[in-house]
Amino acid sequence: MSAAVHQVGFDIERIRADFPILTERVHGKKLVFLDSAASAQKPRSVIDTMVRTMETRYANVHRGLHWLSERCSDDYEAARDKVAAFLNAAREEIIFVRNTTEGINLVAQTYGRSALKPSDAVVVSEMEHHANLVPWQMLRDQHGIDLRIVKITDAGDVDFDDLERVFTDGRVRLLAITHMSNVLGTYTPVARLAAFAHERGAKILLDGAQAVVHRAVDVKAIDADFYVFSGHKLYGPSGIGVLFGKYALLEAMPPFMGGGEMIRSVSFATSTWADPPFRFEAGTPAIVEAIGLGAAIDYVDSIGFDAISAHERRLTDHALATLATIDGVTTLGRAQDRGGVVAFTLEGIHAHDVATLLDKQGIAVRAGHHCAEPLTRRLGVESTARASFGVYTTLDEIDALAVGLRRVQQVFGR
Amino acid sequence: MNIATTEDLYQSLIMDRARSPRHAGRLDEFDAEAEGDNPMCGDRVHVRLRREGGKIGILCHETRGCAICISAADLMGDAAIGKADTEIHDLADAFEAMIVTGVIPDRLDFLDLRALAGVHAYRSRHRCATLPWQALRAAIGKTMELRHG
Ligand SMILES: Cc1ncc(COP(=O)(O)O)c(C=O)c1O
């Protein structure tokens, strides 16, 4: 993408004006929000859509035989259409869940328990968020599958030699892996991974919690079997997430939870299930939140992923270059293809102290193991600080981080 | 009674103790030990103590964590030495109350523990300061169990 397009497609001041929270002050300082990978801030259009829904068009969905319920059901289903278009999927393949975590648990408990046999193996990578590790450990303990871990290289890429190794005995039926690491920033080569898994008779689940925010995702082009993400990282509300599954797989899966909405008919003796996606949406869903997610997708589409990716590439390059000039700062991950998160350590200073001292300067970063404890252990670090970027992040904010880090070092006499 | 301000948090006393703690290390002969850890952040405090005449004679800690956690463990060492078990629990209660409220208690045995009052302003850091005390309480609890069979 050319620089000219970048200029035209991306007016950072206009974008910042869309996010009311960015004018807030923290400890009397201008807010520098560098924690979007944990959860992103919300644009006015998302906030307004949700408020307008509650003020003018709200009722329960799919049950009322009245005007409001019909309008609200239309809006809710329109949000499903938006998500379907966003991922290049069919609407019947889009299941609303609470978040990425719930989406992965749903697959583990339904697909995992019905399609996998105790003698089958599931593979996850060393750089998974706990959300894509713990559900498989639970399935292993309940159901007896073998859980295998594929290594990453020191640069932070998937180690394909090791992938060959874990697949050699032909027992692997599912590869569950991140599309972008929330610690190392690594984008995994998802189409190649999908082809690799499919050639060996396995399905692939992609944790898109981070990737979906930074790049256009086409589940057909990738040939993903399952793809999961959360609304709150995509400038949408919390409490809503998405599970995409290929229809044939979803159709063969039993329900996750039982209750209203997910049934075809119920008697005291037994019930029959509705078709996907409703089979997996028991009970009253997060109605306003789903509609808010639809507005978030409209917002992201209005900027366009070409512009978003280019902006974040510039921010990430600038952050890596700037942090490299500070003595004692080590950044994690050297993947060729990486997105807008930069985790780092400061020599002799614990990440919590870094985060607290930055916070006093109005700068919000994340500190800890980022819900990827086995990964931080694998990297040989106890805890790290992480700066992560969104559409509203500026180069100046990264410079402010660098100044802030030097102040932290001064407090510690380094 | 004083209310701590945030600016007090990374004051020189805390930084001194974080850099060169006085009670850090490992006791080979000890009467009680326990470990406190915070799975949220990986901080870990291992406390060992030796008794002299019913009171704590020596306390050593091995702390892996932030400046707040290390200095809290070390200042706890100052305050705990010479105390009987019931006094330790009382002191721990007072310390935990100070972290929650930010109010420095009027008591002579509080010594430099008051330096940590500023942690109050950072709710996400409360555990860092109280973790060493949790370990010390656990260590004391274990000796009691031993004594009572
Ligand atoms: C890569 C990755 N996977 C999964 C999750 C879990 O997302 P959620 O907490 O919204 O379920 C996160 C977010 O923290 C993440 O970064």
Side-chain angles (χ1 to χ4, degrees):
Chain A
M1 110 152 269
S2 74
V5 176
H6 187 226
Q7 297 294 319
V8 175
F10 210 82
D11 180 346
I12 186 74
E13 286 313 320
R14 257 189 46 206
I15 286 172
R16 286 183 68 81
D18 291 334
F19 291 81
I21 206 168
L22 296 180
T23 57
E24 288 295 306
R25 296 179 80 80
V26 171
H27 303 307
K29 308 271 172 20
K30 188 167 175 281
L31 169 66
V32 175
F33 187 76
L34 297 176
D35 195 21
S36 292
S39 202
Q41 299 300 347
K42 319 304 173 200
R44 172 60 69 198
S45 60
V46 168
I47 299 166
D48 285 351
T49 298
M50 294 174 72
V51 170
R52 206 177 324 113
T53 297
M54 288 185 283
E55 285 181 349
T56 64
R57 291 169 73 90
Y58 181 78
N60 209 333
V61 290
H62 305 315
R63 13 192 121 169
L65 296 175
H66 51 77
W67 188 89
L68 267 183
S69 177
E70 283 172 7
R71 295 295 85 69
C72 199
S73 303
D74 287 350
D75 292 353
Y76 179 76
E77 290 305 323
R80 195 188 309 275
D81 288 330
K82 286 176 191 181
V83 173
F86 182 70
L87 294 179
N88 191 25
R91 67 184 329 278
E92 294 77 18
E93 297 175 316
I94 300 300
I95 297 159
F96 283 127
V97 289
R98 277 190 305 142
N99 47 35
T100 303
T101 304
E102 187 173 77
I104 297 173
N105 276 278
L106 191 160
V107 176
Q109 291 298 318
T110 61
Y111 179 78
R113 283 179 177 231
S114 61
L116 301 181
K117 296 186 297 298
S119 56
D120 292 339
V122 172
V123 172
V124 303
S125 86
E126 279 184 324
M127 59 179 157
E128 298 312 314
H129 187 281
H130 295 167
N132 194 31
L133 172 61
V134 181
W136 305 112
Q137 292 174 335
M138 290 169 65
L139 180 67
R140 175 196 61 200
D141 297 344
Q142 295 157 343
H143 193 63
I145 55 127
D146 188 14
L147 178 59
R148 300 177 183 177
I149 315 290
V150 60
K151 290 193 169 59
I152 57 168
T153 64
D154 288 334
D157 288 307
V158 176
D159 182 338
F160 271 82
D161 291 338
D162 198 55
L163 196 62
E164 289 279 4
R165 184 186 63 80
V166 295
F167 270 78
T168 349
D169 68 359
R171 285 171 51 203
V172 177
R173 288 289 162 271
L174 179 69
L175 171 60
I177 193 163
T178 190
H179 188 177
M180 177 186 148
S181 163
N182 62 316
V183 178
L184 300 172
T186 309
Y187 281 114
T188 54
V190 282
R192 182 176 166 202
L193 287 166
F196 184 100
H198 292 153
E199 280 159 19
R200 289 159 183 79
K203 305 290 182 209
I204 187 164
L205 173 146
L206 295 168
D207 171 356
Q210 295 295 338
V212 87
V213 184
H214 306 287
R215 293 199 161 165
V217 171
D218 179 334
V219 292
K220 285 214 182 73
I222 296 169
D223 199 12
D225 297 298
F226 297 104
Y227 196 97
V228 196
F229 72 91
S230 299
H232 67 95
K233 294 182 202 277
L234 187 66
Y235 313 103
S238 54
I240 188 76
V242 169
L243 164 65
F244 154 84
K246 281 185 183 161
Y247 193 78
L249 293 173
L250 294 178
E251 206 178 18
M253 280 156 52
F256 181 38
M257 288 187 274
E261 199 77 46
M262 48 74 68
I263 33 72
R264 177 165 291 136
S265 72
V266 180
S267 72
F268 282 115
T270 184
S271 305
T272 54
W273 318 134
D275 290 334
F278 303 107
R279 183 186 301 169
F280 304 100
E281 291 182 3
T284 299
I287 301 167
V288 179
E289 289 76 7
I291 294 168
L293 173 59
I297 288 173
D298 286 343
Y299 181 76
V300 167
D301 281 345
S302 75
I303 302 173
F305 271 111
D306 284 348
I308 292 174
S309 303
H311 177 62
E312 286 172 357
R313 182 72 247 172
R314 274 207 319 159
L315 293 168
T316 308
D317 289 347
H318 185 63
L320 290 170
T322 307
L323 294 181
T325 65
I326 307 177
D327 274 349
V329 173
T330 307
T331 53
L332 274 63
R334 284 175 287 109
Q336 280 301 314
D337 192 12
R338 68 180 290 167
V341 310
V342 177
F344 57 91
T345 57
L346 255 68
E347 196 185 338
I349 310 178
H350 193 280
H352 280 177
D353 296 317
V354 174
T356 296
L357 286 163
L358 287 175
D359 180 57
K360 281 172 89 168
Q361 305 171 54
I363 304 170
V365 298
R366 173 114 192 240
H369 49 54
H370 316 296
C371 297
E373 214 179 325
L375 172 62
T376 43
R377 214 168 289 140
R378 149 79 174 84
L379 298 169
V381 290
E382 272 165 27
S383 81
T384 70
R386 179 187 72 188
S388 56
F389 317 130
V391 285
Y392 39 68
T393 308
T394 65
L395 295 172
D396 287 348
E397 289 182 307
I398 289 163
D399 294 338
L401 170 67
V403 172
L405 289 174
R406 290 210 188 82
R407 287 210 192 113
V408 173
Q409 290 179 319
Q410 279 160 17
V411 171
F412 274 75
R414 286 182 177 263
Chain B
M1 210 186 268
N2 293 304
I3 304 274
T5 64
T6 307
E7 277 56 46
D8 295 337
L9 188 51
Y10 286 86
Q11 51 173 287
S12 58
L13 179 65
I14 289 180
M15 298 309 296
D16 273 0
R17 289 302 186 101
R19 261 193 299 260
S20 26
R22 292 184 196 162
H23 302 282
R26 193 178 182 82
L27 272 182
D28 288 331
E29 285 173 35
F30 55 93
D31 298 314
E33 70 172 333
E35 188 162 276
D37 75 272
N38 182 355
M40 293 296 290
C41 63
D43 282 2
R44 182 164 297 165
V45 183
H46 191 119
V47 172
R48 282 182 172 179
L49 55 89
R50 205 183 299 156
R51 293 175 190 286
E52 283 165 15
K55 311 212 173 205
I56 294 181
I58 305 180
L59 183 154
C60 278
H61 66 92
E62 292 171 284
T63 303
R64 188 186 81 187
C66 59
I68 302 300
C69 191
I70 298 171
S71 60
D74 215 56
L75 294 171
M76 177 180 81
D78 288 3
I81 289 170
K83 295 271 185 325
D85 290 357
T86 49
E87 293 174 295
I88 293 290
H89 283 298
D90 183 47
L91 202 54
D93 288 346
F95 180 78
E96 285 159 7
M98 177 184 79
I99 297 297
V100 172
T101 62
V103 179
I104 300 170
D106 265 327
R107 48 190 290 173
L108 287 174
D109 62 355
F110 226 54
L111 309 178
D112 291 330
L113 290 177
R114 60 183 60 228
L116 289 155
V119 175
H120 158 68
Y122 286 88
R123 195 144 33 92
S124 56
R125 305 298 299 279
H126 288 189
R127 273 297 294 278
C128 307
T130 57
L131 189 63
W133 290 91
Q134 186 189 318
L136 179 55
R137 281 187 200 266
I140 287 174
K142 280 189 198 159
T143 32
M144 305 243 256
E145 277 163 32
L146 286 179
R147 235 180 283 144
H148 300 299

